[in-house]
Amino acid sequence: LAKTTQPISMDSYEGQEVNITCSHNNIATNDYITWYQQFPSQGPRFIIQGYKTKVTNEVASLFIPADRKSSTLSLPRVSLSDTAVYYCLVGDFRMDSSYKLIFGSGTRLLVRP
Amino acid sequence: NAGVTQTPKFQVLKTGQSMTLQCAQDMNHNSMYWYRQDPGMGLRLIYYSASEGTTDKGEVPNGYNVSRLNKREFSLRLESAAPSQTSVYFCASSEGTADVGYEQYFGPGTRLTVT
């Protein structure tokens, strides 16, 4: 069963750029890669999604190499309010042709003053 | 526009009791999902409904049943609660299925404790 793998935790300081990488070796051809942010006691919130190359929106960038076996979420100039858990999500095709959505274990980002 | 709503917010059950968690969305989304999140862990998909009238198992379906009552509502039932089902349950919805890039909108969660 293919799963995603992320670092358990990362530390950063205000104003720095943070890059979080997710490994998804068995990603299927049609699967998109989506990143979510979660604060304590809240449901996850969508950040960004992409299929290949680079995607940028007002809060983050997503880099996906040609083989799509990994992706990197880039948060420019983080602030204290970016302290949260970040999850990457990909689909997962299984041998029985059903598909399951697999969240990674999440990366706890701590931003220090 | 409330987005995704879940009831109840908190619930305590005794082992063997049954209950239904309710979820509703007002965004006219086709797909809906139920996840559980154990303390300090990521989310695991229990069941999903790609469209009205269909349901399918996710990663951890054992001990649960679901009903897609209509396009707006997707309920999760625990027939005989067990302590291992103590968790926070999140409902989500999306316009299309999330594996092909549709953004999921999550509810606030239901915190369930089984003693």
Side-chain angles (χ1 to χ4, degrees):
Chain A
L1 177 62
K3 290 190 181 294
T4 57
T5 303
Q6 304 174 230
I8 294 174
S9 64
M10 297 181 69
D11 279 14
S12 184
Y13 291 92
E14 280 190 294
Q16 289 189 332
E17 179 184 74
V18 171
N19 295 309
I20 306 173
T21 297
C22 179
S23 171
H24 30 77
N25 290 321
N26 293 341
I27 187 169
T29 302
N30 294 330
D31 286 342
Y32 276 69
I33 300 152
T34 314
W35 284 80
Y36 287 82
Q37 176 191 56
Q38 187 179 28
F39 297 111
S41 301
Q42 295 185 23
R45 185 176 68 176
F46 173 88
I47 301 174
I48 196 168
Q49 63 99 355
Y51 184 78
K52 61 180 179 180
T53 64
K54 177 183 174 182
V55 180
T56 297
N57 63 22
E58 62 275 9
V59 298
S61 294
L62 179 60
F63 299 91
I64 305 170
D67 66 7
R68 304 201 329 122
K69 292 184 184 299
S70 66
S71 58
T72 299
L73 173 72
S74 181
L75 303 172
R77 298 180 298 281
V78 293
S79 64
L80 297 177
S81 62
D82 292 318
T83 293
V85 180
Y86 293 82
Y87 294 97
C88 76
L89 172 65
V90 298
D92 173 32
F93 275 90
R94 304 176 71 174
M95 295 299 291
D96 61 1
S97 299
S98 62
Y99 65 87
K100 313 300 178 192
L101 298 172
I102 305 293
F103 269 80
S105 54
T107 298
R108 292 185 180 277
L109 173 65
L110 174 62
V111 180
R112 302 178 187 274
Chain B
N1 188 334
V4 179
T5 57
Q6 294 182 234
T7 56
K9 286 187 168 52
F10 301 92
Q11 184 71 49
V12 178
L13 292 178
K14 294 188 189 308
T15 297
Q17 287 185 320
S18 63
M19 79 160 295
T20 299
L21 280 64
Q22 307 286 354
C23 174
Q25 52 92 8
D26 62 3
M27 296 172 282
N28 201 35
H29 284 169
N30 291 306
S31 301
M32 298 185 73
Y33 315 81
W34 276 105
Y35 292 89
R36 62 176 287 175
Q37 186 172 35
D38 299 332
M41 305 289 285
L43 283 82
R44 291 185 292 172
L45 182 66
I46 305 171
Y47 271 93
Y48 65 95
S49 171
S51 61
E52 185 179 0
T54 70
T55 61
D56 202 356
K57 296 177 181 179
E59 187 183 0
V60 289
N62 291 343
Y64 306 95
N65 286 300
V66 291
S67 295
R68 184 74 183 266
L69 303 170
N70 48 55
K71 192 171 185 179
R72 289 187 64 249
E73 299 172 289
F74 189 39
S75 63
L76 178 72
R77 182 161 179 83
L78 288 70
E79 290 291 350
S80 179
S84 61
Q85 294 178 305
T86 293
S87 191
V88 179
Y89 291 84
F90 289 103
C91 177
S93 71
S94 61
E95 185 177 349
T97 53
D99 62 314
V100 292
Y102 286 94
E103 174 185 348
Q104 293 179 78
Y105 294 79
F106 284 81
T110 293
R111 191 172 298 272
L112 175 67
T113 301
V114 183
T115 61

